[in-house]
């Protein structure tokens, strides 16, 4: 019974200690934040720095590289969610995959770099789901099949 009383004394006197470290911005000497974004087979290396809102992908303007308006919309989503439209310049190099996957990779990289530049934006970007890597990839083709799951056409004769 004495052990139970000792336990009550210990738990009663213990104070809840909250350890919450304030996140600090991660920027290099030029004031840039770097992050890697991935989607399908595409990998994007993204540098974000305060500026006028110019987005350059593989040395070309985003309007030239991502010709479809939907792809440009995908790339600009993190800035709209964070409320930082036309406040950051982006330089990205993308390899692998198709244009859709590359746009998703750039979006993921911009989101990661933005939250490193401004840690206060992490909540909004996380709630929108932009910090999570979309792990869906194309299923591999199996032997004896036409594609990953499709069988060859059946013929009785």
């Amino acid at each position: 019974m004495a052990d139970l009383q000792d336990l009550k004394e210990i738990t009663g006197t213990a104070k809840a200690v909250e350890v919450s470290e304030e996140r600090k911005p991660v920027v290099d000497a030029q004031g840039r934040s770097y992050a890697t974004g991935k989607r399908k087979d595409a990998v994007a290396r993204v540098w974000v720095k305060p500026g006028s809102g110019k987005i350059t992908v593989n040395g070309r303007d985003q309007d030239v590289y991502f010709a479809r308006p939907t792809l440009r919309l995908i790339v600009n989503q993190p800035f709209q969610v964070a409320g930082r439209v036309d406040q950051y310049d982006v330089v990205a190099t993308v390899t692998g995959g198709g244009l859709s996957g590359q746009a998703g990779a750039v979006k993921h990289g911009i989101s990661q770099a933005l939250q490193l530049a401004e840690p206060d934006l992490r909540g909004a970007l996380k709630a929108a789901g932009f910090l999570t890597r979309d792990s869906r990839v194309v299923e591999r083709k199996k032997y004896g099949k036409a594609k990953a799951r499709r069988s060859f056409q059946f013929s009785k004769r």
Side-chain angles (χ1 to χ4, degrees):
M1 201 63 173
D3 292 336
L4 186 61
Q5 288 176 342
D6 291 339
L7 184 63
K8 285 182 182 177
E9 286 176 22
I10 292 171
T11 55
T13 58
K15 295 178 185 174
V17 178
E18 287 188 35
V19 179
S20 116
E21 246 182 74
E22 191 70 25
R23 291 181 183 265
K24 294 179 179 69
V26 180
V27 290
D28 64 6
Q30 286 97 16
R32 303 175 301 182
S33 291
Y34 169 78
T36 305
K38 295 182 180 183
R39 172 79 172 95
K40 293 187 177 180
D41 273 341
V43 179
R45 299 184 303 156
V46 179
W47 289 269
V48 171
K49 74 177 198 174
S52 60
K54 185 178 181 200
I55 298 177
T56 308
V57 182
N58 287 352
R60 291 187 270 173
D61 190 50
Q62 75 158 343
D63 296 334
V64 176
Y65 195 83
F66 295 119
R68 282 184 268 161
T70 52
L71 297 178
R72 289 194 300 269
L73 186 85
I74 288 171
V75 170
N76 288 314
Q77 277 179 334
F79 295 115
Q80 292 167 347
V81 167
R84 300 289 190 272
V85 179
D86 294 338
Q87 292 183 19
Y88 283 94
D89 287 343
V90 176
V91 176
T93 55
V94 197
T95 56
L99 282 177
S100 176
Q102 288 185 351
V106 171
K107 173 179 130 177
H108 185 230
I110 288 173
S111 303
Q112 297 276 15
L114 259 182
Q115 67 100 21
L116 288 174
E118 286 189 57
D120 300 339
L121 300 177
R122 183 175 171 81
L125 292 169
K126 191 169 175 68
F130 294 161
L131 298 179
T132 307
R133 191 249 200 255
D134 191 351
S135 61
R136 296 175 297 171
V137 292
V138 177
E139 189 175 348
R140 78 172 191 88
K141 183 195 176 301
K142 279 78 168 188
Y143 56 89
K145 297 281 186 176
K147 291 165 71 175
R149 297 186 181 199
R150 188 192 184 287
S151 298
F152 294 109
Q153 183 173 348
F154 175 75
S155 174
K156 199 169 193 179
R157 290 184 189 97

